[in-house]
Amino acid sequence: MTLDIKICGLKTHEALDAALANKATHIGFVFFEKSPRHISLPQAVSLRDSVRGQAQVVTVTVDADNMLLDEIVYHVKPNLLQLHGLETPRRVVEIKNRYKLPIMKAFAISNKSNLQNIVPYHGIIDRILFDAKASKGAFQPGGNGVAFNWQVLDTLDREINYFLSGGLNANNIAEALRTTRAHGVDVSSGVETEPGVKDVDLINAFFSAVQKIRKKEDEV
């Protein structure tokens, strides 16, 4: 199985170059002012121009209005819109019809009952992202460096195309993939020295860990 790898919350060319050099399939830019990974439109455009088709560009928003989305889509020209808030199925349909772009919807997970939240979105969204549920009082819905119990995904249809997110890093990615068999992984805080500050060595280490997993699979 081909694994998609998304490095999210990029803000510098140095970190972007490291992600692209390691063949990241998706690059994420966060447009949410409460996040330490928030990026301005000019910054995102500059980084986007450097991608040059080497990866899919994903813009991450949280309950954004049309004014913000218009600006993002016009200037950044993303390949995929990631909605990380409480967007209803109706709102997702509105966004999809307005921009004609694929949608990835994030869902907060803490137990198996939370998986029922994806049902109303069947046939509407193009990909799913499962993230750990933020603790009470957290300022941001994702990127908190916390993993959820991956075993709650045991009952999920293996054909469902989803990204796994939440507290992933070089030390636990092997266990995460072994437990979930996710089609994609999304890492942000796991390649940072502090919130919002990506580290090239940590990015390299994450991809090295994934490569070791792939090598073992090829040997089986």
Side-chain angles (χ1 to χ4, degrees):
M1 180 183 72
T2 301
L3 179 69
D4 287 333
I5 302 177
K6 174 170 170 271
I7 305 297
C8 199
L10 290 166
K11 296 170 65 176
T12 68
H13 283 276
E14 182 182 37
L16 173 64
D17 290 345
L20 294 176
N22 280 287
K23 308 298 182 185
T25 59
H26 294 70
I27 299 297
F29 301 137
V30 175
F31 295 90
F32 183 55
E33 291 185 356
K34 292 181 180 180
S35 171
R37 301 168 188 93
H38 173 68
I39 192 170
S40 69
L41 279 171
Q43 283 179 298
V45 170
S46 176
L47 292 173
R48 204 264 187 258
D49 288 345
S50 296
V51 175
R52 296 189 178 89
Q54 297 174 77
Q56 296 283 296
V57 173
V58 184
T59 54
V60 183
T61 57
V62 180
D63 299 312
D65 59 21
N66 287 348
M67 185 178 295
L68 175 57
L69 290 172
D70 284 350
E71 290 288 300
I72 291 171
V73 171
Y74 179 79
H75 291 287
V76 184
K77 298 177 175 58
N79 302 109
L80 181 69
L81 300 177
Q82 180 178 324
L83 308 179
H84 215 105
L86 300 176
E87 298 88 357
T88 64
R90 173 182 283 187
R91 176 58 177 154
V92 174
V93 170
E94 289 175 355
I95 293 171
K96 194 164 187 177
N97 289 339
R98 185 178 182 89
Y99 303 108
K100 311 299 182 187
L101 288 169
I103 302 291
M104 178 158 64
K105 180 74 180 76
F107 295 90
I109 301 295
S110 61
N111 55 62
K112 288 188 177 182
S113 66
N114 298 143
L115 296 178
Q116 293 301 310
N117 294 333
I118 72 174
V119 174
Y121 296 84
H122 283 328
I124 299 174
I125 57 179
D126 299 276
R127 298 199 75 167
I128 293 169
L129 183 142
F130 290 125
D131 199 357
K133 183 169 287 190
S135 60
K136 188 175 181 180
F139 291 109
Q140 53 191 31
N144 295 299
V146 178
F148 62 93
N149 179 8
W150 301 316
Q151 292 183 345
V152 304
L153 301 178
D154 285 350
T155 58
L156 194 68
D157 185 339
R158 291 298 176 95
E159 296 303 312
I160 291 179
N161 190 345
Y162 70 90
F163 271 85
L164 179 68
S165 185
L168 298 176
N169 55 54
N171 296 322
N172 64 14
I173 186 60
E175 181 185 356
L177 292 176
R178 186 169 54 248
T179 303
T180 67
R181 298 183 184 275
H183 293 75
V185 293
D186 181 307
V187 62
S188 185
S189 61
V191 291
E192 294 179 341
T193 53
E194 60 183 88
V197 181
K198 295 291 186 289
D199 182 84
V200 169
D201 290 336
L202 291 177
I203 292 174
N204 291 336
F206 184 82
F207 280 95
S208 293
V210 172
Q211 283 300 111
K212 289 180 181 178
I213 298 166
R214 287 172 169 165
K215 185 176 181 180
K216 288 182 179 179
E217 290 176 346
D218 292 340
E219 292 173 348
V220 175

